[in-house]
Amino acid sequence: MSSLNELVARYGKTNAELKVLKTSADADNKEIKSIMSSTGLTEYEAGGYKAKYSVSKSESFDDDKLVKKLKEFMFDGKSAHEAGLIDYVPVVNMEILEDFIYNGKINAAELADCKVTKETARLTISKVKSK
């Protein structure tokens, strides 16, 4: 049991230190991203470390807007629901939508206002390799 006592005590102390370090590192990460973003920097070296900043974008559809827009279209005399584009819930059947876009039944540009773009700022720090 003395081994467990030592482990629990050491873990408690280490975990408390880790929380303090994580809070500090998270704050530094946020400030570095802010500075690099506002200055337009994508890479920066200091103290033997290199910081790389990038922003990744992901797009998805606003389902409510997309359903509303698709309800305006008719396909060979059928509504979007009857054509299988909108499921009962209503949820857009993305496979059929992709097929309709691919086959020219829907112009993707007409759905542009239904897209949601999400940007995620990313920072990586690595040790500079000595030459």
Side-chain angles (χ1 to χ4, degrees):
M1 282 300 197
S2 64
S3 171
L4 184 57
N5 285 340
E6 290 173 21
L7 283 171
V8 169
R10 185 172 65 222
Y11 177 80
K13 182 179 176 188
T14 303
N15 198 40
E17 291 170 358
L18 178 64
K19 287 179 182 177
V20 170
L21 289 172
K22 177 152 178 41
T23 300
S24 176
D26 288 349
D28 289 348
N29 180 298
K30 185 177 180 180
E31 188 171 353
I32 291 167
K33 284 181 188 176
S34 175
I35 292 169
M36 291 182 78
S37 173
S38 66
T39 58
L41 290 171
T42 58
E43 289 188 13
Y44 189 82
E45 279 189 37
Y49 293 91
K50 180 189 285 188
K52 291 184 180 183
Y53 175 79
S54 63
V55 176
S56 62
K57 290 184 181 182
S58 64
E59 290 186 342
S60 62
F61 281 107
D62 177 322
D63 286 338
D64 293 335
K65 281 186 178 180
L66 184 57
V67 166
K68 186 176 180 179
K69 178 77 74 172
L70 291 173
K71 284 182 176 181
E72 297 171 6
F73 299 118
M74 293 296 286
F75 306 97
D76 299 325
K78 294 180 179 181
S79 68
H81 179 73
E82 292 167 329
L85 274 168
I86 302 173
D87 290 334
Y88 183 75
V89 175
V91 174
V92 176
N93 184 322
M94 297 307 280
E95 285 183 28
I96 294 176
L97 176 59
E98 288 173 9
D99 186 55
F100 274 47
I101 292 170
Y102 180 78
N103 290 310
K105 294 180 181 178
I106 295 177
N107 180 349
E110 293 183 70
L111 307 178
D113 62 340
C114 299
K115 281 194 174 181
V116 177
T117 301
K118 180 178 157 185
E119 293 185 357
T120 305
R122 184 172 163 210
L123 176 70
T124 57
I125 302 285
S126 59
K127 194 127 174 104
V128 175
K129 297 176 184 169
S130 56
K131 297 176 183 178

